[in-house]
Amino acid sequence: MQKRQLVLEDGTRFLGTGFGSDREISGEVVFNTGMTGYQEILSDPSYCGQIVTMTYPLIGNYGINRDDFETITPSIHGLIVKEVCDLPSNYRSEETLDRFLKANDIPGLAGIDTRKLTRLIRNHGTMKGLFTSADCSVERAMQLLHQEIGITNHVERVSTVKPYVVPGRGRRIVLVDFGMKHGILRELTKRNCHITVVPHHYSAEKIRRLKPEGVMLSNGPGDPKYVPDAVRMIEEIIPDIPVFGICLGHQLIALACGADTEKLRFGHRGANHPVKDLTTGKTVMTSQNHGYTVTKESLAGTELELTQLALNDGTVEGLAHKRYPAFSVQYHPESSPGPEDTYQLFDRFLANIITHQSEEKREEVSCRSVQI
């Protein structure tokens, strides 16, 4: 392994040992507080364009297996760890973390003070950083960073190109892919749903032609305001079709209903984030990965009801529409990795579909009675 460095946009330099791919790459440097789940983190499309720092000191100790992927092609830009394990020990392990990163052309950096880097991000917010060789000067690295043009099409890079079907005999669900984790598919197929996955730019008209009983809006990377087509689509379908939004999907529902979003200082990334349900008074532990949030003050004057709050910082974690069968959560009820406290939200989504269909039938019967 050769020496490699991380240079941040403020000029801070971290010198360590490289593993994985040796390519030079830049990205937004963030941190994740999970003790496990690095395979799911590496394969989560929501990390597109980011270099992830793991705060847990030893990563790679249970290797890489065939079951825990959240997408086929990882889009994370880089991984930073305190110590990388070269000899994993787990009955499911099929290859080392280093070998996996090499195969997917993802660079890694080990042996740096990850606590110092995490404190830096917490104090100053997320920053752009560059993975480069140890002999590259800080001045040259800073020039390369400043030459980088901000990429805004993260969703386009991770969304499916064309629709496809995951067949089932249950409810017909259209899943809009903004950077979907396979965990969402797993929970819907577990409930025998017939799922049609569509690209991020699919129009409301095209979605209606698929005759869905419900529409799910997936997680995804980046700023929700860079996906204006999706906001317009949601505005059109939300009065007619039950909708459930997760993470980026949650933020897009808020924008479609007149609320606003803003960038967090350093985001929420990790497992075991406590969230309070304001309707039940109960607290659940959640898995989270987002750098943007719905602005709480912007909900005033909209038809959205605040249903859940993050106990760590009071940010918006759940919304429900006051008139239409639409709701959303900022966290990941499909977990992967993380706690399984909120799987029942998928059941709530299907229950909303049944209730909506019953109401439509009553209205249809009422209209016929008036005509007679």
Side-chain angles (χ1 to χ4, degrees):
M1 293 184 180
Q2 60 183 2
K3 288 294 182 180
R4 178 177 297 160
Q5 64 177 331
L6 167 73
V7 179
L8 299 178
E9 62 181 279
D10 68 350
T12 305
R13 174 177 178 263
F14 291 87
L15 180 63
T17 304
F19 65 102
S21 167
D22 60 359
R23 71 174 174 140
E24 186 176 83
I25 196 168
S26 66
E28 183 183 38
V29 183
V30 300
F31 64 86
N32 186 294
T33 58
M35 294 175 64
T36 61
Y38 55 81
Q39 181 171 335
E40 294 94 325
I41 290 166
L42 285 168
S43 58
D44 183 348
S46 294
Y47 283 113
C48 178
Q50 295 181 331
I51 297 172
V52 179
T53 305
M54 300 299 298
T55 60
Y56 189 69
L58 178 59
I59 300 298
N61 51 321
Y62 55 86
I64 299 289
N65 65 74
R66 69 176 187 177
D67 300 322
D68 293 339
F69 291 109
E70 286 300 316
T71 191
I72 295 173
T73 306
S75 51
I76 188 173
H77 275 201
L79 181 69
I80 300 172
V81 301
K82 173 62 177 175
E83 181 181 345
V84 60
C85 179
D86 296 324
L87 297 171
S89 176
N90 186 278
Y91 73 98
R92 293 196 303 161
S93 177
E94 296 178 337
E95 62 180 336
T96 65
L97 177 58
D98 177 55
R99 182 179 171 187
F100 171 78
L101 293 184
K102 280 185 170 69
N104 288 276
D105 200 21
I106 301 170
L109 177 66
I112 72 164
D113 189 342
T114 52
R115 292 177 299 176
K116 178 181 177 180
L117 176 57
T118 301
R119 288 197 302 268
L120 193 65
I121 296 171
R122 285 183 61 90
N123 291 335
H124 301 284
T126 55
M127 287 184 279
K128 187 183 292 183
L130 176 73
F131 272 172
T132 186
S133 60
D135 57 4
C136 179
S137 68
V138 173
E139 292 74 18
R140 176 57 180 161
M142 295 287 288
Q143 288 177 358
L144 293 172
L145 269 176
H146 289 310
Q147 289 172 5
E148 288 286 327
I149 300 174
I151 300 172
T152 60
N153 64 335
H154 293 301
V155 169
E156 180 182 339
R157 295 167 65 192
V158 296
S159 175
T160 184
V161 176
K162 58 183 180 180
Y164 62 92
V165 170
V166 181
R169 297 187 179 275
R171 299 293 174 181
R172 295 190 310 276
I173 305 299
V174 166
L175 174 52
V176 186
D177 178 11
F178 300 111
M180 172 197 69
K181 292 170 64 180
H182 286 174
I184 297 176
L185 281 178
R186 180 189 62 239
E187 291 306 313
L188 291 175
T189 54
K190 188 187 297 183
R191 292 159 176 80
N192 204 27
C193 294
H194 180 87
I195 310 157
T196 304
V197 182
V198 301
H200 68 98
H201 52 68
Y202 229 57
S203 68
E205 180 183 358
K206 287 183 177 179
I207 287 176
R208 284 198 176 94
R209 285 185 176 275
L210 297 172
K211 307 297 182 184
E213 296 174 271
V215 173
M216 171 152 278
L217 309 172
S218 84
N219 62 291
D223 188 339
K225 292 177 181 176
Y226 289 140
V227 201
D229 289 345
V231 174
R232 287 190 289 269
M233 177 271 290
I234 296 167
E235 288 174 350
E236 294 184 38
I237 68 168
I238 208 168
D240 308 319
I241 307 172
V243 178
F244 177 22
I246 292 175
C247 198
L248 182 65
H250 156 83
Q251 297 163 10
L252 291 170
I253 287 177
L255 291 175
C257 294
D260 197 9
T261 58
E262 60 185 332
K263 187 175 177 63
L264 291 167
R265 187 176 184 84
F266 49 81
H268 298 171
R269 297 175 181 89
N272 298 324
H273 284 247
V275 170
K276 183 174 183 179
D277 189 318
L278 301 180
T279 58
T280 65
K282 294 182 178 179
T283 296
V284 293
M285 304 306 290
T286 67
S287 175
Q288 303 204 7
N289 173 19
H290 58 275
Y292 291 81
T293 185
V294 176
T295 307
K296 190 187 304 182
E297 294 74 19
S298 72
L299 296 173
T302 72
E303 292 191 279
L304 293 174
E305 176 187 3
L306 177 64
T307 59
Q308 298 184 47
L309 280 176
L311 291 182
N312 287 340
D313 61 4
T315 52
V316 176
E317 291 288 342
L319 297 170
H321 201 283
K322 296 177 182 178
R323 284 197 297 150
Y324 304 133
F327 73 103
S328 62
V329 291
Q330 180 63 81
Y331 51 86
H332 291 264
E334 80 285 359
S335 72
S336 300
E340 303 178 356
D341 293 15
T342 55
Y343 279 173
Q344 76 280 359
L345 290 176
F346 291 93
D347 298 317
R348 175 183 166 186
F349 175 45
L350 299 182
N352 277 0
I353 291 173
I354 296 171
T355 301
H356 178 70
Q357 291 176 340
S358 299
E359 291 175 352
E360 282 188 327
K361 287 181 180 179
R362 282 197 298 269
E363 290 178 2
E364 184 179 343
V365 170
S366 176
C367 288
R368 287 178 179 174
S369 300
V370 170
Q371 290 175 354
I372 292 172

